[in-house]
Coordinates of all heavy atoms in Angstrom, one line a residue:
M9 N -26.5 30.8 -12.3 CA -26.1 30.6 -10.9 C -27.3 30.5 -10.0 O -28.2 31.4 -10.1 CB -25.2 31.8 -10.5 CG -24.8 31.8 -9.1 SD -23.9 33.2 -8.5 CE -23.3 34.1 -9.8
T10 N -27.4 29.5 -9.3 CA -28.5 29.3 -8.4 C -28.0 29.6 -6.9 O -27.0 29.0 -6.5 CB -29.0 27.8 -8.4 OG1 -29.4 27.5 -9.8 CG2 -30.2 27.6 -7.5
V11 N -28.8 30.5 -6.3 CA -28.4 30.9 -4.9 C -29.6 30.6 -4.0 O -30.8 30.9 -4.4 CB -28.1 32.3 -4.8 CG1 -27.8 32.8 -3.4 CG2 -26.8 32.7 -5.6
R12 N -29.4 29.9 -2.9 CA -30.5 29.7 -1.9 C -30.1 30.5 -0.7 O -28.9 30.6 -0.3 CB -30.7 28.3 -1.6 CG -29.7 27.7 -0.7 CD -30.1 26.3 -0.3 NE -29.1 25.9 0.7 CZ -28.7 24.6 1.0 NH1 -29.3 23.6 0.3 NH2 -27.8 24.4 1.9
T13 N -31.1 31.0 0.0 CA -30.9 31.8 1.2 C -31.5 31.0 2.4 O -32.7 30.7 2.4 CB -31.5 33.2 1.1 OG1 -30.9 33.8 0.0 CG2 -31.3 34.0 2.4
D14 N -30.7 30.7 3.4 CA -31.1 30.1 4.6 C -31.3 31.2 5.7 O -30.4 32.0 5.8 CB -30.1 29.0 5.1 CG -30.0 27.9 4.1 OD1 -31.0 27.5 3.6 OD2 -28.9 27.4 3.9
R15 N -32.4 31.2 6.4 CA -32.6 32.1 7.5 C -32.7 31.4 8.8 O -33.4 30.4 8.9 CB -33.9 32.9 7.2 CG -33.8 33.8 6.0 CD -35.1 34.5 5.7 NE -35.0 35.4 4.5 CZ -35.0 35.0 3.3 NH1 -35.2 33.7 3.0 NH2 -34.9 35.8 2.3
T16 N -32.1 31.9 9.8 CA -32.1 31.3 11.1 C -32.1 32.5 12.2 O -31.5 33.6 11.9 CB -31.0 30.3 11.4 OG1 -31.2 29.6 12.6 CG2 -29.6 31.0 11.4
T17 N -32.5 32.2 13.3 CA -32.5 33.2 14.4 C -31.5 32.6 15.5 O -31.5 31.5 15.8 CB -33.8 33.4 15.1 OG1 -34.8 33.8 14.1 CG2 -33.8 34.4 16.2
I18 N -30.5 33.5 15.8 CA -29.6 33.1 16.9 C -29.8 34.0 18.1 O -30.4 35.1 18.0 CB -28.1 33.3 16.4 CG1 -27.8 34.7 15.9 CG2 -27.8 32.3 15.3 CD1 -26.4 35.0 15.6
S19 N -29.4 33.5 19.3 CA -29.6 34.3 20.5 C -28.3 34.5 21.2 O -27.5 33.6 21.4 CB -30.6 33.5 21.4 OG -31.8 33.4 20.8
F20 N -28.1 35.7 21.6 CA -26.9 36.1 22.5 C -27.5 36.4 23.9 O -28.4 37.2 24.0 CB -26.2 37.3 21.9 CG -25.3 37.0 20.8 CD1 -25.7 37.1 19.5 CD2 -24.0 36.5 21.0 CE1 -24.9 36.8 18.4 CE2 -23.2 36.2 20.0 CZ -23.6 36.4 18.6
M21 N -26.9 35.8 24.9 CA -27.3 36.0 26.3 C -26.6 37.2 26.8 O -27.0 37.8 27.9 CB -27.1 34.8 27.1 CG -27.8 33.5 26.7 SD -29.6 33.7 26.6 CE -29.9 33.8 28.3
N22 N -25.5 37.6 26.2 CA -24.7 38.7 26.7 C -24.4 39.7 25.5 O -24.4 39.3 24.3 CB -23.3 38.2 27.2 CG -23.5 37.2 28.3 OD1 -23.8 37.5 29.4 ND2 -23.3 35.9 28.0
P23 N -24.0 40.9 25.8 CA -23.6 41.8 24.7 C -22.4 41.2 24.0 O -21.6 40.5 24.6 CB -23.2 43.1 25.5 CG -24.0 43.1 26.7 CD -24.1 41.6 27.1
F24 N -22.3 41.6 22.7 CA -21.2 41.0 21.9 C -20.7 42.0 20.9 O -21.3 43.0 20.6 CB -21.7 39.7 21.2 CG -22.7 40.0 20.1 CD1 -22.3 40.0 18.8 CD2 -24.0 40.2 20.4 CE1 -23.2 40.3 17.8 CE2 -24.9 40.4 19.4 CZ -24.5 40.5 18.1
S25 N -19.5 41.7 20.3 CA -19.0 42.5 19.3 C -18.4 41.6 18.2 O -18.0 40.5 18.5 CB -17.9 43.5 19.8 OG -16.9 42.8 20.4
L26 N -18.4 42.1 17.0 CA -17.8 41.4 15.9 C -16.9 42.5 15.2 O -17.2 43.7 15.2 CB -18.8 40.9 14.9 CG -19.8 39.9 15.4 CD1 -20.9 39.7 14.3 CD2 -19.1 38.6 15.7
R27 N -15.8 42.0 14.5 CA -14.9 42.9 13.9 C -15.6 43.7 12.7 O -15.2 44.8 12.4 CB -13.6 42.2 13.5 CG -13.5 41.8 12.1 CD -12.2 41.2 11.8 NE -12.4 39.8 11.8 CZ -11.8 39.0 11.0 NH1 -10.9 39.4 10.2 NH2 -12.0 37.7 11.0
D28 N -16.6 43.1 12.1 CA -17.3 43.7 11.0 C -18.4 44.8 11.5 O -18.9 45.5 10.7 CB -18.0 42.7 10.1 CG -17.0 41.8 9.5 OD1 -15.9 42.3 9.1 OD2 -17.3 40.6 9.3
L29 N -18.6 44.8 12.8 CA -19.6 45.7 13.3 C -19.0 46.8 14.2 O -18.0 46.6 14.9 CB -20.6 45.0 14.2 CG -21.4 43.8 13.5 CD1 -22.3 43.2 14.6 CD2 -22.2 44.4 12.4
E30 N -19.6 48.0 14.1 CA -19.1 49.1 15.0 C -19.8 49.0 16.3 O -21.0 48.9 16.5 CB -19.5 50.4 14.3 CG -18.8 51.6 14.9 CD -19.1 52.9 14.1 OE1 -18.9 52.8 12.9 OE2 -19.5 53.8 14.7
G31 N -19.0 49.0 17.4 CA -19.5 49.0 18.7 C -20.0 47.6 19.2 O -19.9 46.6 18.5
V32 N -20.5 47.6 20.4 CA -21.0 46.4 21.1 C -22.5 46.3 20.8 O -23.2 47.3 20.9 CB -20.7 46.5 22.6 CG1 -21.3 45.3 23.3 CG2 -19.2 46.5 22.8
Q33 N -22.9 45.1 20.4 CA -24.4 44.9 20.2 C -25.0 44.3 21.4 O -24.4 43.6 22.2 CB -24.5 43.9 19.0 CG -23.9 44.3 17.8 CD -24.4 45.6 17.3 OE1 -25.6 45.8 17.2 NE2 -23.5 46.5 16.9
P34 N -26.3 44.7 21.7 CA -26.9 44.2 22.9 C -27.3 42.7 22.8 O -27.4 42.2 21.7 CB -28.2 45.1 22.9 CG -28.5 45.5 21.5 CD -27.1 45.6 20.9
A35 N -27.4 42.1 24.0 CA -27.9 40.7 24.0 C -29.3 40.7 23.4 O -30.0 41.7 23.4 CB -28.0 40.3 25.5
G36 N -29.7 39.5 22.8 CA -31.0 39.4 22.2 C -31.0 38.4 21.1 O -30.0 37.7 20.8
D37 N -32.1 38.4 20.3 CA -32.2 37.5 19.2 C -31.9 38.3 17.9 O -32.3 39.4 17.8 CB -33.7 37.0 19.1 CG -34.0 36.1 20.3 OD1 -33.1 35.5 20.9 OD2 -35.2 36.0 20.6
Y38 N -31.2 37.6 17.0 CA -30.8 38.2 15.7 C -31.1 37.3 14.6 O -30.9 36.1 14.7 CB -29.3 38.5 15.8 CG -28.9 39.6 16.7 CD1 -28.7 39.3 18.1 CD2 -28.7 40.9 16.3 CE1 -28.4 40.3 19.0 CE2 -28.4 41.9 17.2 CZ -28.2 41.6 18.5 OH -27.9 42.6 19.4
L39 N -31.5 37.8 13.5 CA -31.8 37.1 12.3 C -30.5 37.0 11.5 O -29.8 38.0 11.3 CB -32.8 37.8 11.4 CG -33.1 37.2 10.1 CD1 -33.7 35.8 10.2 CD2 -34.0 38.0 9.2
V40 N -30.1 35.8 11.1 CA -28.9 35.6 10.2 C -29.4 35.0 8.9 O -30.2 34.0 8.9 CB -28.0 34.6 10.9 CG1 -26.8 34.3 9.9 CG2 -27.5 35.1 12.2
E41 N -29.0 35.6 7.8 CA -29.3 35.1 6.5 C -28.0 34.7 5.8 O -27.1 35.4 5.8 CB -30.0 36.2 5.6 CG -31.3 36.6 6.2 CD -31.9 37.7 5.4 OE1 -32.4 37.4 4.2 OE2 -32.0 38.8 5.9
T42 N -28.0 33.4 5.3 CA -26.8 32.9 4.7 C -27.1 32.6 3.2 O -28.0 31.8 3.0 CB -26.3 31.6 5.4 OG1 -26.1 31.9 6.8 CG2 -25.0 31.1 4.8
D43 N -26.4 33.2 2.3 CA -26.6 32.9 0.9 C -25.6 31.8 0.5 O -24.4 31.9 0.8 CB -26.3 34.2 0.0 CG -27.4 35.2 0.2 OD1 -28.5 34.9 0.7 OD2 -27.1 36.4 -0.1
N44 N -26.1 30.8 -0.2 CA -25.3 29.7 -0.6 C -25.5 29.5 -2.1 O -26.6 29.4 -2.6 CB -25.8 28.4 0.1 CG -25.6 28.5 1.6 OD1 -24.5 28.5 2.1 ND2 -26.7 28.6 2.3
E45 N -24.4 29.4 -2.8 CA -24.4 29.2 -4.3 C -24.2 27.8 -4.7 O -23.4 27.1 -4.1 CB -23.3 30.1 -4.8 CG -23.0 30.0 -6.3 CD -21.8 30.8 -6.7 OE1 -20.7 30.4 -6.5 OE2 -22.1 32.0 -7.2
L46 N -25.0 27.3 -5.6 CA -24.9 26.0 -6.1 C -23.6 25.8 -6.8 O -23.2 26.6 -7.7 CB -26.1 25.6 -7.1 CG -26.1 24.3 -7.7 CD1 -26.3 23.2 -6.6 CD2 -27.2 24.2 -8.7
I47 N -22.9 24.7 -6.5 CA -21.6 24.4 -7.2 C -22.0 23.5 -8.4 O -22.5 22.4 -8.2 CB -20.6 23.7 -6.3 CG1 -20.3 24.5 -5.1 CG2 -19.4 23.3 -7.0 CD1 -19.5 23.8 -4.0
E48 N -21.8 24.0 -9.6 CA -22.3 23.3 -10.7 C -21.1 22.5 -11.3 O -19.9 22.7 -11.0 CB -22.8 24.3 -11.8 CG -24.0 25.0 -11.3 CD -24.6 26.0 -12.3 OE1 -24.4 25.7 -13.5 OE2 -25.3 26.9 -11.9
G49 N -21.5 21.4 -12.0 CA -20.5 20.6 -12.7 C -20.0 19.5 -11.9 O -19.0 18.8 -12.3
I50 N -20.6 19.2 -10.8 CA -20.2 18.0 -10.0 C -21.4 17.0 -10.0 O -22.5 17.4 -10.3 CB -19.7 18.4 -8.6 CG1 -20.8 19.1 -7.8 CG2 -18.4 19.2 -8.7 CD1 -20.4 19.3 -6.3
S51 N -21.1 15.8 -9.6 CA -22.1 14.7 -9.7 C -23.1 14.7 -8.6 O -24.1 14.0 -8.7 CB -21.4 13.4 -9.8 OG -20.7 13.1 -8.6
R52 N -22.9 15.5 -7.6 CA -23.9 15.6 -6.5 C -24.2 17.0 -6.2 O -23.5 17.9 -6.6 CB -23.4 14.9 -5.3 CG -22.1 15.4 -4.7 CD -21.6 14.6 -3.5 NE -20.3 15.1 -3.1 CZ -20.2 16.0 -2.1 NH1 -21.2 16.5 -1.5 NH2 -19.0 16.4 -1.8
L53 N -25.3 17.2 -5.5 CA -25.8 18.6 -5.2 C -24.9 19.1 -4.0 O -24.8 18.5 -3.0 CB -27.3 18.5 -4.8 CG -28.0 19.8 -4.7 CD1 -28.1 20.5 -6.0 CD2 -29.4 19.5 -4.2
A54 N -24.3 20.3 -4.2 CA -23.5 20.9 -3.2 C -23.5 22.4 -3.3 O -23.7 22.9 -4.4 CB -22.0 20.4 -3.3
Y55 N -23.4 23.1 -2.2 CA -23.5 24.5 -2.2 C -22.2 25.1 -1.4 O -21.7 24.4 -0.6 CB -24.7 25.0 -1.4 CG -26.0 24.8 -2.1 CD1 -26.7 23.6 -2.1 CD2 -26.6 25.8 -2.9 CE1 -27.9 23.3 -2.7 CE2 -27.8 25.6 -3.6 CZ -28.4 24.4 -3.5 OH -29.6 24.2 -4.2
R56 N -21.9 26.3 -1.8 CA -20.8 27.0 -1.0 C -21.4 28.3 -0.5 O -22.2 29.0 -1.2 CB -19.6 27.2 -1.9 CG -19.6 28.4 -2.8 CD -18.3 28.7 -3.5 NE -18.7 28.7 -4.9 CZ -18.3 27.9 -5.9 NH1 -17.5 26.9 -5.6 NH2 -18.7 28.0 -7.1
R57 N -21.0 28.7 0.7 CA -21.5 29.9 1.3 C -20.8 31.1 0.6 O -19.6 31.1 0.4 CB -21.1 29.9 2.8 CG -21.6 31.2 3.5 CD -21.4 31.2 5.0 NE -20.1 30.6 5.4 CZ -20.0 29.6 6.2 NH1 -21.0 28.9 6.7 NH2 -18.8 29.1 6.5
V58 N -21.6 32.1 0.2 CA -21.1 33.2 -0.4 C -21.3 34.5 0.4 O -20.6 35.5 0.1 CB -21.6 33.4 -1.9 CG1 -21.1 32.3 -2.8 CG2 -23.1 33.5 -1.9
A59 N -22.2 34.5 1.3 CA -22.5 35.7 2.1 C -23.2 35.3 3.4 O -24.1 34.4 3.4 CB -23.3 36.7 1.3
T60 N -22.9 36.0 4.5 CA -23.7 35.9 5.7 C -24.1 37.3 6.1 O -23.2 38.2 6.2 CB -22.8 35.3 6.8 OG1 -22.4 34.0 6.4 CG2 -23.6 35.1 8.1
L61 N -25.4 37.5 6.3 CA -25.9 38.9 6.7 C -26.5 38.7 8.1 O -27.3 37.8 8.4 CB -26.9 39.3 5.7 CG -26.4 39.5 4.3 CD1 -27.6 39.8 3.4 CD2 -25.4 40.7 4.2
L62 N -26.2 39.7 9.0 CA -26.8 39.8 10.3 C -27.7 41.0 10.4 O -27.3 42.1 10.0 CB -25.7 39.9 11.3 CG -26.1 39.9 12.8 CD1 -26.7 38.6 13.2 CD2 -24.8 40.2 13.7
T63 N -28.9 40.8 10.9 CA -29.8 41.9 11.1 C -29.6 42.5 12.5 O -29.8 41.8 13.4 CB -31.3 41.5 10.8 OG1 -31.4 41.0 9.5 CG2 -32.2 42.7 11.0
I64 N -29.2 43.8 12.5 CA -29.0 44.4 13.8 C -29.8 45.6 14.0 O -30.3 46.2 13.0 CB -27.5 44.8 14.0 CG1 -27.1 45.8 12.9 CG2 -26.6 43.6 14.0 CD1 -25.7 46.4 13.1
P65 N -30.1 46.0 15.2 CA -30.9 47.3 15.4 C -30.1 48.5 15.0 O -28.9 48.5 15.2 CB -31.2 47.3 16.9 CG -30.2 46.4 17.5 CD -29.8 45.4 16.5
C66 N -30.7 49.5 14.5 CA -30.1 50.7 14.1 C -29.8 51.6 15.3 O -30.7 51.6 16.2 CB -30.9 51.5 13.1 SG -30.9 50.8 11.5
T67 N -28.7 52.3 15.3 CA -28.4 53.2 16.4 C -28.9 54.6 16.2 O -29.0 55.4 17.1 CB -26.9 53.2 16.7 OG1 -26.2 53.6 15.5 CG2 -26.5 51.8 17.2
S68 N -29.2 54.9 14.9 CA -29.6 56.3 14.6 C -31.2 56.3 14.5 O -31.8 55.5 13.9 CB -29.1 56.6 13.2 OG -29.7 57.8 12.7
A69 N -31.7 57.4 15.2 CA -33.2 57.5 15.2 C -33.7 57.9 13.8 O -34.9 57.7 13.6 CB -33.5 58.6 16.3
S70 N -32.9 58.5 13.0 CA -33.3 58.9 11.7 C -33.4 57.8 10.6 O -33.9 58.0 9.5 CB -32.4 60.0 11.1 OG -31.1 59.5 10.9
S71 N -32.9 56.6 11.0 CA -32.9 55.5 10.0 C -34.0 54.5 10.4 O -34.7 54.6 11.4 CB -31.5 54.9 9.9 OG -31.2 54.3 11.1
S72 N -34.1 53.4 9.6 CA -35.1 52.4 9.8 C -34.8 51.7 11.2 O -33.8 51.9 11.8 CB -35.1 51.4 8.7 OG -33.9 50.8 8.6
L73 N -35.6 50.8 11.5 CA -35.5 50.1 12.8 C -34.4 49.1 12.9 O -33.9 48.8 14.0 CB -36.8 49.4 13.2 CG -38.0 50.4 13.4 CD1 -39.3 49.6 13.6 CD2 -37.8 51.4 14.5
S74 N -34.0 48.6 11.7 CA -32.9 47.6 11.7 C -32.2 47.7 10.4 O -32.7 48.3 9.4 CB -33.5 46.2 11.9 OG -34.3 45.8 10.9
Q75 N -31.0 47.1 10.4 CA -30.2 47.0 9.1 C -29.5 45.7 9.0 O -29.2 45.0 10.0 CB -29.2 48.1 9.1 CG -28.2 48.1 10.2 CD -27.2 49.3 10.2 OE1 -27.1 50.0 9.2 NE2 -26.6 49.5 11.3
R76 N -29.3 45.2 7.8 CA -28.7 44.0 7.5 C -27.2 44.3 7.1 O -27.0 45.1 6.3 CB -29.3 43.3 6.4 CG -30.7 42.7 6.7 CD -31.5 42.2 5.6 NE -30.7 41.4 4.7 CZ -30.9 41.2 3.4 NH1 -31.9 41.8 2.8 NH2 -30.1 40.5 2.6
V77 N -26.3 43.7 7.8 CA -24.9 44.0 7.6 C -24.1 42.6 7.3 O -24.4 41.6 7.9 CB -24.2 44.7 8.8 CG1 -24.8 46.1 8.9 CG2 -24.4 43.9 10.0
P78 N -23.2 42.7 6.3 CA -22.4 41.5 6.1 C -21.4 41.2 7.2 O -20.8 42.2 7.8 CB -21.7 41.8 4.8 CG -21.7 43.3 4.7 CD -22.9 43.8 5.4
V79 N -21.3 40.0 7.6 CA -20.4 39.6 8.7 C -19.6 38.3 8.3 O -20.1 37.6 7.4 CB -21.1 39.3 10.1 CG1 -21.8 40.6 10.6 CG2 -22.1 38.2 10.0
D80 N -18.5 38.1 8.9 CA -17.7 36.9 8.7 C -18.3 35.8 9.5 O -18.5 35.9 10.7 CB -16.3 37.2 9.1 CG -15.4 36.0 8.8 OD1 -15.3 35.1 9.7 OD2 -14.8 35.9 7.7
Q81 N -18.7 34.7 8.8 CA -19.3 33.5 9.5 C -18.5 33.0 10.6 O -19.0 32.6 11.7 CB -19.7 32.4 8.5 CG -20.4 31.3 9.1 CD -21.8 31.6 9.5 OE1 -22.6 32.2 8.8 NE2 -22.2 31.2 10.8
T82 N -17.2 32.9 10.4 CA -16.2 32.4 11.4 C -16.3 33.2 12.7 O -16.3 32.7 13.8 CB -14.8 32.3 10.8 OG1 -14.8 31.5 9.7 CG2 -13.9 31.7 11.8
D83 N -16.3 34.6 12.5 CA -16.3 35.5 13.6 C -17.6 35.4 14.4 O -17.7 35.4 15.6 CB -16.1 36.9 13.2 CG -14.7 37.2 12.7 OD1 -13.8 36.4 13.1 OD2 -14.5 38.2 12.0
L84 N -18.7 35.2 13.6 CA -20.0 35.1 14.2 C -20.1 33.8 15.1 O -20.6 33.8 16.2 CB -21.1 35.1 13.1 CG -22.6 35.0 13.6 CD1 -22.9 36.1 14.6 CD2 -23.5 35.0 12.4
D85 N -19.6 32.7 14.5 CA -19.5 31.4 15.2 C -18.7 31.5 16.5 O -19.1 31.0 17.6 CB -19.0 30.3 14.3 CG -19.9 29.9 13.2 OD1 -21.1 30.3 13.2 OD2 -19.4 29.3 12.2
A86 N -17.6 32.2 16.4 CA -16.7 32.4 17.6 C -17.4 33.2 18.7 O -17.3 32.9 19.9 CB -15.4 33.0 17.2
A87 N -18.1 34.3 18.3 CA -18.9 35.1 19.2 C -20.0 34.3 19.9 O -20.2 34.4 21.1 CB -19.4 36.3 18.5
L88 N -20.6 33.4 19.2 CA -21.7 32.6 19.8 C -21.1 31.6 20.8 O -21.6 31.4 21.8 CB -22.4 31.8 18.7 CG -23.5 32.6 17.9 CD1 -24.0 31.8 16.7 CD2 -24.7 32.9 18.8
M89 N -19.9 31.0 20.4 CA -19.3 30.1 21.3 C -18.8 30.8 22.6 O -19.0 30.3 23.7 CB -18.0 29.4 20.7 CG -18.4 28.4 19.6 SD -19.3 27.0 20.3 CE -17.9 26.1 20.9
K90 N -18.3 32.0 22.5 CA -17.8 32.8 23.6 C -19.0 33.1 24.5 O -19.0 33.0 25.7 CB -17.2 34.1 23.1 CG -16.7 34.9 24.3 CD -16.0 36.2 23.7 CE -15.6 37.1 24.8 NZ -15.0 38.4 24.3
D91 N -20.2 33.5 23.9 CA -21.4 33.8 24.6 C -21.9 32.6 25.4 O -22.3 32.7 26.6 CB -22.5 34.3 23.7 CG -23.7 34.7 24.4 OD1 -23.7 35.7 25.1 OD2 -24.8 34.1 24.2
R92 N -21.8 31.4 24.8 CA -22.3 30.2 25.5 C -21.4 29.9 26.7 O -21.9 29.4 27.7 CB -22.4 29.1 24.5 CG -23.5 29.4 23.5 CD -24.1 28.3 22.8 NE -25.2 28.5 21.9 CZ -25.5 29.6 21.2 NH1 -24.8 30.7 21.3 NH2 -26.6 29.6 20.4
H93 N -20.1 30.1 26.6 CA -19.2 29.8 27.7 C -19.4 30.8 28.8 O -19.1 30.5 30.0 CB -17.8 29.7 27.2 CG -17.5 28.5 26.4 ND1 -17.5 28.4 25.1 CD2 -17.4 27.2 26.9 CE1 -17.3 27.2 24.7 NE2 -17.2 26.4 25.7
Q94 N -19.8 32.1 28.5 CA -20.0 33.1 29.5 C -21.2 32.8 30.4 O -21.3 33.2 31.5 CB -20.2 34.5 28.9 CG -18.9 35.0 28.3 CD -19.1 36.4 27.6 OE1 -20.3 36.8 27.4 NE2 -18.1 37.1 27.4
T95 N -22.2 32.1 29.8 CA -23.4 31.9 30.5 C -23.4 30.6 31.4 O -24.3 30.3 32.1 CB -24.6 31.8 29.6 OG1 -24.4 30.8 28.6 CG2 -24.8 33.1 28.9
I96 N -22.3 29.8 31.2 CA -22.3 28.5 32.0 C -21.8 28.8 33.4 O -21.0 29.6 33.7 CB -21.3 27.5 31.3 CG1 -21.9 27.1 29.9 CG2 -21.0 26.3 32.1 CD1 -21.1 26.2 29.1

C-alpha cells in the first residue's frame, strides 16, 4: 500500500468549531495533513483520501505546544466556507 501525505496551511479569519474538536478554536493559520492511499489495479494513477489531520494549539499547559487531531474533511471544508462568508 502506497500512501502519500499532502500538507497545506489554511487560514481562519474568525474563531471556528468542528464536530470532531472540543470547544471553539481561535482564528489563525492551521496545518492540514491529508493522507491519500494509492488505488491499485486500475489503468491510471489515482488516490483516495484515507485521513485528514488538523494541527491545533493545545489548551493544557502540561502538554506540548500543539497536537494533531483527525477531522472530517467535509466538516473542515464547510467551516472554511462559513468563515469566508463571515468576512465578506
Side-chain angles (χ1 to χ4, degrees):
M9 174 185 345
T10 302
V11 175
R12 79 172 184 206
T13 301
D14 297 319
R15 291 174 181 82
T16 187
T17 301
I18 59 173
S19 298
F20 282 95
M21 301 301 289
N22 303 287
F24 69 98
S25 61
L26 298 173
R27 100 178 100 142
D28 296 326
L29 301 178
E30 192 174 311
V32 175
Q33 302 302 310
D37 295 334
Y38 290 83
L39 176 65
V40 177
E41 296 177 71
T42 306
D43 291 339
N44 300 288
E45 176 183 79
L46 179 64
I47 301 171
E48 297 184 25
I50 60 175
S51 61
R52 61 185 175 91
L53 193 60
Y55 289 85
R56 83 174 125 245
R57 181 176 39 240
V58 293
T60 302
L61 300 169
L62 180 67
T63 301
I64 61 171
C66 286
T67 56
S68 171
S70 63
S71 62
S72 62
L73 298 175
S74 63
Q75 60 184 343
R76 292 173 39 211
V77 294
V79 296
D80 182 272
Q81 183 69 49
T82 304
D83 290 342
L84 184 58
D85 292 341
L88 281 167
M89 289 294 281
K90 181 179 176 184
D91 183 66
R92 292 200 175 31
H93 286 102
Q94 288 177 347
T95 58
I96 294 176

